[in-house]
């Protein structure tokens, strides 16, 4: 899959569990949004040095086994403990950690395992769930929990040297491919034009 397809799969997977919440990719233009909210972030980007190259019709594609860290943050507005009396003060319970714990159980379900298998990717928990709740403006708490996952997937790109085309760069097109630079690809190399040896003689012996 491409990086655009990967992001779509991850978004669909998280949205299927947190269907009543706003799910967005982190560090976008919308920094303040209503609660509850879930943010996604891919970290540790990189591509291995070696790939598996496969010829598909007229194009040569490279398949890379890639690993990323998926960071999921859960922002919750909390939950009231129940019906309060006349003079009781409302103490809101922090539900962010619990909600991410339930999501972790969902990630280990048969439904998600089948989905990941069909998409040729694997998602595994990395470390514990972190409670990042903090006091905000000295009047209320911002309930937040964070969990990291190891993400393994197969990245598919056109094989070659070059850059993205002007039309495909930054527009979110799912059909983005790398423009392959092939100098003199339409010219036949004449025999002897690149100066290689046709015959060689070795003198002396080896014992």
């Amino acid at each position: 899959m491409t990086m655009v397809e990967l992001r779509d799969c991850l978004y669909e997977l998280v949205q299927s569990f947190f269907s009543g919440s706003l799910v967005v990719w982190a560090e976008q233009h919308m920094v303040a949004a209503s609660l509850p909210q879930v943010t996604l972030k891919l970290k540790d980007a990189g591509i291995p040095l070696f790939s598996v190259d496969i010829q598909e019709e007229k194009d040569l594609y490279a398949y890379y086994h890639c690993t990323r860290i998926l960071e999921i943050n859960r922002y919750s507005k909390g939950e009231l403990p129940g019906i309060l009396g006349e003079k009781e003060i409302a103490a809101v319970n922090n539900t962010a950690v619990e909600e991410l714990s339930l999501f972790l159980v969902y990630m280990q379900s048969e439904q998600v395992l089948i989905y990941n298998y069909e998409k040729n990717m694997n998602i595994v928990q990395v470390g514990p769930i972190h409670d990042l709740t903090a006091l905000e403006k000295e009047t209320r708490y911002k309930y937040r929990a964070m969990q990291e996952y190891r993400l393994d997937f197969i990245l598919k790109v056109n094989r070659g040297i070059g850059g993205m085309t002007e039309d495909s760069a930054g527009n979110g097109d799912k059909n983005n491919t790398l423009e392959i630079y092939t100098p003199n690809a339409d010219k036949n190399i004449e025999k002897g034009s690149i100066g290689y040896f046709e015959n060689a003689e070795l003198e002396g012996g080896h014992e």
Side-chain angles (χ1 to χ4, degrees):
M1 66 175 66
T2 65
M3 290 302 300
V4 174
E5 293 171 340
L6 174 66
R7 291 168 64 92
D8 290 344
C9 290
L10 295 175
Y11 184 91
E12 179 182 357
L13 185 60
V14 176
Q15 182 68 64
S16 65
F17 181 81
F18 295 106
S19 57
S21 304
L22 176 66
V23 179
V24 296
W25 285 98
E27 301 172 354
Q28 293 184 338
H29 64 281
M30 188 169 52
V31 296
S34 59
L35 299 178
Q37 180 184 163
V38 178
T39 62
L40 312 176
K41 184 177 181 179
L42 284 175
K43 303 187 299 184
D44 298 340
I47 297 179
L49 295 176
F50 304 103
S51 64
V52 176
D53 297 344
I54 299 178
Q55 185 76 32
E56 299 181 10
E57 296 181 355
K58 296 182 179 180
D59 296 324
L60 181 64
Y61 290 93
Y63 292 83
Y64 295 91
H65 176 200
C66 298
T67 300
R68 299 286 189 276
I69 296 297
L70 172 64
E71 178 185 306
I72 298 181
N73 283 271
R74 172 62 173 177
Y75 298 87
S76 173
K77 58 183 178 181
E79 182 182 44
L80 292 174
I83 301 176
L84 301 176
E86 294 181 359
K87 298 182 179 181
E88 291 182 321
I89 300 176
V92 180
N93 293 330
N94 180 6
T95 59
V97 174
E98 179 183 358
E99 290 164 354
L100 267 190
S101 300
L102 294 176
F103 176 72
L104 179 59
V105 175
Y106 173 70
M107 292 292 291
Q108 298 171 351
S109 65
E110 182 179 359
Q111 174 185 349
V112 175
L113 293 178
I114 294 176
Y115 178 86
N116 291 341
Y117 176 79
E118 293 175 347
K119 301 299 181 180
N120 201 16
M121 63 182 185
N122 185 46
I123 305 176
V124 181
Q125 174 191 10
V126 177
I129 298 175
H130 299 278
D131 188 354
L132 303 180
T133 299
L135 186 62
E136 187 178 39
K137 297 181 180 179
E138 300 183 356
T139 57
R140 56 173 294 178
Y141 281 96
K142 187 174 185 179
Y143 301 120
R144 173 189 174 192
M146 187 271 288
Q147 172 71 66
E148 290 184 331
Y149 297 86
R150 174 191 168 99
L151 172 64
D152 292 274
F153 65 99
I154 304 300
L155 178 66
K156 176 182 179 181
V157 296
N158 274 11
R159 188 66 170 148
I161 304 174
M164 298 189 70
T165 61
E166 182 178 357
D167 294 335
S168 64
N171 63 4
D173 186 2
K174 295 183 179 180
N175 296 321
N176 285 353
T177 56
L178 292 178
E179 183 180 6
I180 301 177
Y181 173 66
T182 52
N184 301 323
D186 56 342
K187 296 181 180 180
N188 295 325
I189 299 178
E190 297 180 359
K191 185 177 180 180
S193 62
I194 58 176
Y196 62 86
F197 290 100
E198 295 184 3
N199 296 296
E201 295 183 1
L202 298 178
E203 296 183 356
H206 176 72
E207 296 181 358

